[in-house]
Amino acid sequence: MREKFRIIIGLFTVAVLLYGCGTTDKQAGDQADQSEPIHLQSRTPPALELKIGDDTIRTFRGVYSWSYYDSEEESMVGVEASSDPPHEMISTNNARKVDPQAVVTLEFGEPPLSYQLFVWDEAGNRTAYPIAFDLSEHEGPTLFEIFAHWEQGQASYVFALDVE
């Protein structure tokens, strides 16, 4: 009788160990935190459109750092993308002509938490400006950069305007 009891206990112990081996959890960091929803599943930063009156001005995405949850891999992915400096990305020679009193609206595909405005000169130097986009402070062909921040990362956008 005692021998049967040992065999039953031994089999039960083996069964518990095998069950435990088959239900291992993934390591922390391998999957998204399920307690917080992931709002933006995009693999790249949102697009930015610049609206001046009825016109839409094209912007160019520059450098960015972005992360997203890859549901196929069940893990977070980080992307670092580089680009030429804004003054080398686009030329002010073909800048869109705009009135200095025009109202400028920035339309992001997903609103950022914050953003900064910079103006680049021909020598490659940038100057920060207040968030309020006031074209009357500029004259002639001007290169602008918007640097936006989201929970998923940050991105820069470049465009040129000829303020007349």
Side-chain angles (χ1 to χ4, degrees):
M1 179 74 158
R2 191 171 183 165
E3 189 63 33
K4 285 184 181 180
F5 184 70
R6 283 185 183 175
I7 291 173
I8 291 172
I9 293 295
L11 287 175
F12 180 74
T13 303
V14 169
V16 169
L17 288 173
L18 289 175
Y19 177 76
C21 290
T23 61
T24 59
D25 288 337
K26 292 187 177 203
Q27 292 182 348
D30 283 351
Q31 61 187 22
D33 180 0
Q34 300 300 323
S35 64
E36 293 185 28
I38 298 174
H39 300 289
L40 187 63
Q41 293 294 324
S42 175
R43 294 176 180 252
T44 59
L48 169 61
E49 287 187 346
L50 185 72
K51 301 278 187 174
I52 299 179
D54 294 333
D55 291 337
T56 300
I57 311 269
R58 182 175 178 199
T59 65
F60 298 89
R61 185 180 303 129
V63 64
Y64 66 87
S65 173
W66 198 250
S67 62
Y68 63 93
Y69 181 72
D70 186 334
S71 58
E72 290 178 12
E73 296 292 326
E74 296 183 344
S75 66
M76 293 300 292
V77 176
V79 178
E80 300 285 333
S82 62
S83 71
D84 289 334
H87 66 284
E88 293 179 15
M89 282 179 60
I90 62 174
S91 170
T92 56
N93 294 337
N94 298 323
R96 176 81 61 98
K97 294 185 185 311
V98 295
D99 183 89
Q101 304 307 316
V103 176
V104 178
T105 305
L106 302 174
E107 293 186 2
F108 290 92
E110 175 79 19
L113 298 173
S114 65
Y115 64 88
Q116 298 167 290
L117 171 65
F118 297 95
V119 174
W120 286 77
D121 64 19
E122 293 178 11
N125 301 310
R126 74 179 187 172
T127 304
Y129 276 83
I131 297 296
F133 208 117
D134 186 1
L135 290 176
S136 66
E137 295 181 17
H138 308 283
E139 185 177 330
T142 307
L143 181 62
F144 296 92
E145 178 185 28
I146 301 290
F147 201 79
H149 306 268
W150 293 265
E151 286 182 23
Q152 296 80 11
Q154 53 196 6
S156 70
Y157 302 86
V158 180
F159 53 95
L161 300 175
D162 187 357
V163 183
E164 325 185 289

